[in-house]
Amino acid sequence: MEKFSYDNKIVKYFLLASIIFGFVGMLVGLTAAFQLYYPGLNLDTPFTTFGRIRPLHTNAVIFAFVGNAMFAGIYYSLQRLLKARLFSDLLSWLHFWGWQLIIVAAAITLPLGITTSKEYAELEWPIDIAITLVWVVFGINMIGTILKRRERHMYVAIWFYIATWVTVAVLHIVNSMEMPVTLTKSYSMFAGVQDALVQWWYGHNAVAFFLTTPFLGIMYYYLPKAANRPVYSYKLSIVHFWSLIFIYIWAGPHHLLYTSLPNWAQSLGAVFSIMLIAPSWGGMLNGLLTLRGAWDRVREDPVLKFMVVAVTAYGMSTFEGPMLSLKNVNAIAHFTDWIIAHVHIGGLGWNGFLIFGMMYWLYPKMWGTKLYSRQLANSHFWIGTLGIIIYALPMYVAGVVQSLMWKEFTGEGTLAYLNFLDTVESIKPMYLIRGVGGTLYIIGVFIMAYNLYKTAKSGKFLANEEAEAPALERKKVVGPFHRVLESKPLMFTVLTFVAIMIGGILELVPTFLIKSNVPTIASVQPYSPLELHGRDIYIREGCNNCHSQMVRPFRSETARYGEYSKAGEFVYDHPFLWGSKRTGPDLGREGLINASAAWHYDHMWEPTNASPGSLMPRYQWLYSASIDKEMTAKIIDAMRKVGVPYEEGYEDRAVADLEAQAERIAAEIEESPEYANIDRDSEIIALIAYLKRLGTDISKEE
Amino acid sequence: MFKYYFERIEDVEKGPVISLLIFFTFFIALLIWLWRMDKKHVDKMKNMPLDNNDELKLENKE
């Protein structure tokens, strides 16, 4: 027998970080939600406008709340399942502090508008590098622990942890390929359609391998623990695991249905998404059936209650996801609040509730005591559940109502709601109600924090938990393949890598390399220097969080926005800015729809002037800030490096071109009598230059 | 650049089909292995989270 101890302290710290950042992340989300009802809530400062704090919310809840809880859950169960202390205390703490540092960096840079604009990958390149390093530390620590284990076979939870580590590493690296311009600015290496494909391959699989697989592992450990009975079917868990990781990696293109992505890739995403129902539901059933015959306990025990709702929410969102990948459903749901509802069933229900269940189970264990109040935990459960329902239902209604309004035609064949704002007006009350749902959910978290604090107070924290187990003898495992595999962590890791790479390579590489996938359009030209500055401002302000730039080939969209978007129009878009949500109208053809510089000048200052009732924020700071003309040459140079064909030496002439274009636009605005003496260098002029350019190239074709 | 060598690959649609075949073969093999899996081993694996006799024997129920 060998004596050793389990490290509980690192688990405690990750749990604490999860609760604290969870709070912050959710409060930011709540603020963003209410801003869609009261735009003035951003206090007219740049740092708190919707376009900047929405990414702050998503990053905080995904990487800080869920991420920290995931590390806690993994580190606690990993040690026990392997009968070994974590590989290295030093690495554990490097992992912890490194991750918190990244979160703090995100919390500072995102409100400052330092962003790549790619969803859930908004952080700029130095932070991307830090993430990579911390992820490697996590990997070494985990694999190291596995290698020094005292248990020959790896329980299913651990495979999920390994798959998580391998895949997130690959996704993060590929999607973060970017060309630095300065320390706080970079451009994606990929452009347009390719960038979109890489981004949603990443985005979708971040959901799969950051929000799903680690939590399935956590489910496979903590649910049997809490119910005190083994998982329903071990064999099902094996099938579940391999099919899930094989199929998931293919489904990304379902985020890009009806866009300019080549058709074969769209169909591929849809087919694999439908197939995903099988392994997902396999996992859900395995979880729920573990509780068969123990339902009386579920009624009693808050831990199990949370877990049952979590697994049920998992089942719901993994059924809904494939349905949303059906083209005709997607045509209605995409770009609407339906998607917001969908992700919150997953986030609040599956991730949130599983984390709460796990916390209610871990605190008494690690502090050697009983839960302070079961009644409070039950109240949390009911308030939280109500919160999810009151959040999600209005968003489903809002999504469907708005989408149908977008698509409605009058008898004469014109759009029934030609004014986009009418469709926004009709769903505004829903925004208010979902804010109430979110508030309830946060109150629940607050109750939990108090309960856990009291629990910890009543016990004594066991930082190092003594344990003993016989050392692992070096002997060769023989027998059926999977049994051997369970004892060979490195081979297991390699196989997982192969499984996900097959999908990744076969899906991404063809779009990169085959020209026919992106037919070129001769009249599409690189952006002018002023437009590039404007585009950077668009990215900084996060306009893409409310505006799409992708006219889909539907009659209702071509009637509203003009000719549908073609793949060839985006070849110089580093990064792509198609967006995923239309809180405001599509801007893909803004240059054709609305070419008046004066209108934009007026609208950006006070959107309700031009559009009474608009919930778009005002952007008055753009009128006083100047663009940095020192940067122009660097921007051109970086763009050339990623493949945009500016001729050699153009950077020397760029500023002159820029000033000439700014002069034209300012003069155009000054034609209307209200305006005079407009600052040619102001940021708003650059932004207007970009808006006027959007979607116009195609009409220059002979 | 190297990428132009690949430009002439036709029938990109074949890629997914190949992958599907690989997955299918793997899946069938997996099912066969599972079917032949030793019952005792399955039981042992199943109970792995539970048989931590070294853990605190404290109830977290009221």
Side-chain angles (χ1 to χ4, degrees):
Chain A
M1 280 289 186
E2 287 182 341
K3 286 197 183 303
F4 57 95
S5 65
Y6 294 131
D7 185 354
N8 280 347
K9 197 169 166 201
I10 187 76
V11 180
K12 168 181 155 181
Y13 270 68
F14 272 122
L15 286 178
L16 262 177
S18 168
I19 297 174
I20 294 169
F21 286 128
F23 251 129
V24 178
M26 289 178 205
L27 279 177
V28 174
L30 200 64
T31 313
F34 280 123
Q35 280 182 6
L36 289 188
Y37 194 81
Y38 304 109
L41 217 76
N42 64 27
L43 311 173
D44 269 337
T45 65
F47 317 110
T48 46
T49 44
F50 186 85
R52 298 199 192 180
I53 67 168
R54 190 227 189 210
L56 183 64
H57 162 63
T58 52
N59 278 278
V61 292
I62 297 175
F63 300 110
F65 168 56
V66 178
N68 278 317
M70 158 183 129
F71 296 133
I74 290 180
Y75 275 170
Y76 183 90
S77 57
L78 192 71
Q79 300 185 77
R80 273 119 189 125
L81 286 169
L82 299 170
K83 299 208 168 69
R85 190 184 174 84
L86 287 174
F87 177 61
S88 149
D89 283 13
L90 177 68
L91 290 183
S92 300
W93 291 107
L94 269 179
H95 176 190
F96 178 79
W97 289 112
W99 195 254
Q100 310 318 316
L101 215 64
I102 288 166
I103 293 168
V104 171
I108 294 170
T109 55
L110 291 174
L112 287 176
I114 298 171
T115 169
T116 65
S117 84
K118 294 175 89 170
E119 281 183 71
Y120 327 124
E122 283 93 348
L123 302 178
E124 264 298 352
W125 67 272
I127 309 179
D128 280 341
I129 293 175
I131 294 173
T132 313
L133 294 177
V134 173
W135 201 255
V136 169
V137 167
F138 169 46
I140 298 175
N141 210 16
M142 178 163 72
I143 304 275
T145 312
I146 296 174
L147 291 180
K148 65 170 217 190
R149 69 197 186 280
R150 296 186 181 78
E151 176 68 67
R152 187 170 311 279
H153 295 281
M154 294 186 300
Y155 180 66
V156 50
I158 298 174
W159 319 340
F160 279 103
Y161 301 159
I162 294 178
T164 300
W165 184 77
V166 171
T167 316
V168 171
V170 174
L171 295 169
H172 173 67
I173 292 172
V174 175
N175 195 42
S176 302
M177 304 268 262
E178 52 218 354
M179 177 60 66
V181 188
T182 65
L183 199 61
T184 54
K185 178 78 196 161
S186 67
Y187 294 119
S188 175
M189 293 276 190
F190 315 111
V193 173
Q194 294 167 356
D195 198 37
L197 188 61
V198 172
Q199 159 59 27
W200 286 112
W201 169 77
Y202 163 89
H204 175 73
N205 287 303
V207 172
F209 289 88
F210 202 90
L211 301 176
T212 307
T213 53
F215 286 88
L216 285 168
I218 283 172
M219 174 188 90
Y220 275 120
Y221 180 79
Y222 293 89
L223 188 61
K225 269 309 222 203
N228 201 20
R229 50 183 52 227
V231 56
Y232 168 68
S233 164
Y234 189 72
K235 292 185 178 183
L236 181 56
S237 71
I238 298 181
V239 180
H240 167 211
F241 174 80
W242 286 107
S243 351
L244 196 78
I245 66 161
F246 237 113
I247 300 175
Y248 236 127
I249 203 84
W250 287 90
H254 69 206
H255 291 256
L256 299 167
L257 298 178
Y258 289 113
T259 65
S260 308
L261 189 73
N263 255 318
W264 65 267
Q266 294 189 25
S267 313
L268 191 71
V271 170
F272 276 86
S273 303
I274 302 297
M275 283 168 60
L276 257 180
I277 294 184
S280 304
W281 275 50
M284 173 192 69
L285 291 175
N286 215 357
L288 290 180
L289 287 174
T290 300
L291 296 170
R292 79 199 178 291
W295 285 96
D296 48 319
R297 300 255 323 274
V298 176
R299 235 171 294 133
E300 306 266 290
D301 185 354
V303 173
L304 289 179
K305 269 190 214 172
F306 274 107
M307 290 188 176
V308 166
V309 170
V311 176
T312 310
Y314 175 64
M316 280 166 59
S317 36
T318 54
F319 177 74
E320 192 186 13
M323 291 305 115
L324 288 169
S325 311
L326 295 173
K327 279 192 129 181
N328 45 357
V329 181
N330 191 274
I332 298 173
H334 194 53
F335 290 139
T336 75
D337 289 304
W338 184 335
I339 308 302
I340 313 298
H342 172 61
V343 299
H344 282 84
I345 295 284
L348 302 176
W350 162 240
N351 293 116
F353 268 36
L354 198 62
I355 290 171
F356 302 150
M358 182 180 89
M359 285 178 174
Y360 280 123
W361 187 83
L362 277 174
Y363 263 72
K365 272 267 185 282
M366 294 201 305
W367 272 265
T369 180
K370 286 183 190 169
L371 189 61
Y372 168 68
S373 162
R374 188 145 75 176
Q375 206 171 3
L376 279 182
N378 279 329
S379 316
H380 174 196
F381 174 78
W382 287 111
I383 292 176
T385 308
L386 207 66
I388 298 176
I389 294 169
I390 299 180
Y391 185 104
L393 279 184
M395 287 291 94
Y396 282 119
V397 174
V400 174
V401 166
Q402 195 181 23
S403 182
L404 295 179
M405 289 176 85
W406 287 345
K407 288 174 188 296
E408 192 174 327
F409 282 92
T410 60
E412 289 89 62
T414 54
L415 284 168
Y417 301 95
L418 194 58
N419 185 354
F420 187 90
L421 207 48
D422 292 344
T423 74
V424 180
E425 276 309 332
S426 72
I427 61 167
K428 263 189 169 178
M430 298 296 150
Y431 285 152
L432 196 61
I433 303 174
R434 74 100 175 246
V436 174
T439 309
L440 287 178
Y441 194 85
I442 296 182
I443 292 175
V445 179
F446 192 76
I447 296 174
M448 177 185 77
Y450 174 73
N451 203 355
L452 295 181
Y453 169 75
K454 283 297 213 182
T455 306
K457 273 285 208 188
S458 76
K460 191 170 171 308
F461 181 63
L462 206 60
N464 294 297
E465 198 174 313
E466 301 302 325
E468 53 178 31
L472 197 63
E473 319 157 36
R474 297 253 152 254
K475 91 171 185 226
K476 210 170 145 49
V477 180
V478 286
F481 178 71
H482 212 279
R483 187 156 161 194
V484 177
L485 199 59
E486 279 160 4
S487 65
K488 291 221 182 327
L490 292 181
M491 189 158 111
F492 194 97
T493 308
V494 171
L495 263 185
T496 311
F497 181 73
V498 171
I500 62 140
M501 285 311 277
I502 292 177
I505 290 174
L506 285 177
E507 183 177 297
L508 296 182
V509 172
T511 2
F512 281 44
L513 301 178
I514 300 171
K515 261 196 170 159
S516 66
N517 274 319
V518 182
T520 37
I521 304 172
S523 60
V524 173
Q525 293 297 319
Y527 292 105
S528 77
L530 187 63
E531 289 156 6
L532 284 177
H533 276 283
R535 199 166 196 271
D536 284 351
I537 295 166
Y538 189 95
I539 291 172
R540 186 186 75 199
E541 300 303 339
C543 310
N544 53 300
N545 288 294
C546 280
H547 290 287
S548 58
Q549 292 187 13
M550 173 49 61
V551 183
R552 295 176 295 175
F554 302 141
R555 176 170 159 240
S556 59
E557 298 214 348
T558 50
R560 188 183 296 278
Y561 303 119
E563 182 67 22
Y564 68 88
S565 304
K566 315 284 190 297
E569 292 183 78
F570 302 100
V571 290
Y572 303 126
D573 280 18
H574 296 266
F576 83 115
L577 289 172
W578 295 358
S580 64
K581 170 79 177 74
R582 278 185 191 149
T583 303
D586 189 276
L587 297 179
R589 297 255 175 258
E590 187 62 12
L592 297 175
I593 299 174
N594 199 339
S596 160
W599 189 89
H600 288 302
Y601 196 77
D602 178 44
H603 177 253
M604 298 296 298
W605 178 262
E606 178 56 87
T608 49
N609 279 353
S611 314
S614 176
L615 44 77
M616 177 163 145
R618 327 189 241 201
Y619 285 96
Q620 302 189 347
W621 56 89
L622 301 180
Y623 293 70
S624 46
S626 301
I627 53 170
D628 181 1
K629 286 190 268 189
E630 305 272 289
M631 282 288 293
T632 312
K634 286 190 198 151
I635 293 174
I636 298 285
D637 183 54
M639 281 292 178
R640 188 189 295 116
K641 282 193 193 127
V642 293
V644 183
Y646 293 104
E647 51 189 272
E648 270 323 308
Y650 180 65
E651 48 270 60
D652 304 332
R653 281 174 288 133
V655 173
D657 277 7
L658 180 153
E659 283 169 350
Q661 192 180 7
E663 178 56 40
R664 282 198 302 278
I665 289 174
E668 185 195 327
I669 300 170
E670 283 167 353
E671 276 169 24
S672 64
E674 304 105 276
Y675 302 114
N677 300 326
I678 287 171
D679 178 4
R680 268 58 177 162
D681 289 341
S682 59
E683 291 189 330
I684 187 66
I685 299 296
L687 184 63
I688 292 174
Y690 175 60
L691 291 173
K692 279 168 69 80
R693 172 70 184 272
L694 277 174
T696 53
D697 280 11
I698 196 165
S699 56
K700 291 172 194 146
E701 241 173 344
E702 284 100 306
Chain B
M1 254 177 48
F2 77 95
K3 70 180 195 181
Y4 296 106
Y5 295 118
F6 292 88
E7 269 170 15
R8 269 161 294 135
I9 305 179
E10 269 155 40
D11 310 324
V12 279
E13 298 86 348
K14 272 185 194 153
V17 177
I18 295 167
S19 170
L20 208 56
L21 281 178
I22 299 173
F23 171 64
F24 200 66
T25 321
F26 180 83
F27 192 73
I28 298 295
L30 193 69
L31 288 183
I32 296 173
W33 285 318
L34 285 179
W35 180 58
R36 294 175 45 205
M37 205 176 210
D38 178 15
K39 175 100 176 48
K40 276 217 298 277
H41 177 65
V42 171
D43 276 344
K44 179 178 170 277
M45 293 304 290
K46 251 177 127 161
N47 282 295
M48 223 176 236
L50 302 176
D51 69 8
N52 268 321
N53 40 14
D54 40 43
E55 234 179 73
L56 283 180
K57 280 276 171 284
L58 276 163
E59 269 294 289
N60 67 331
K61 313 274 142 41
E62 276 168 39

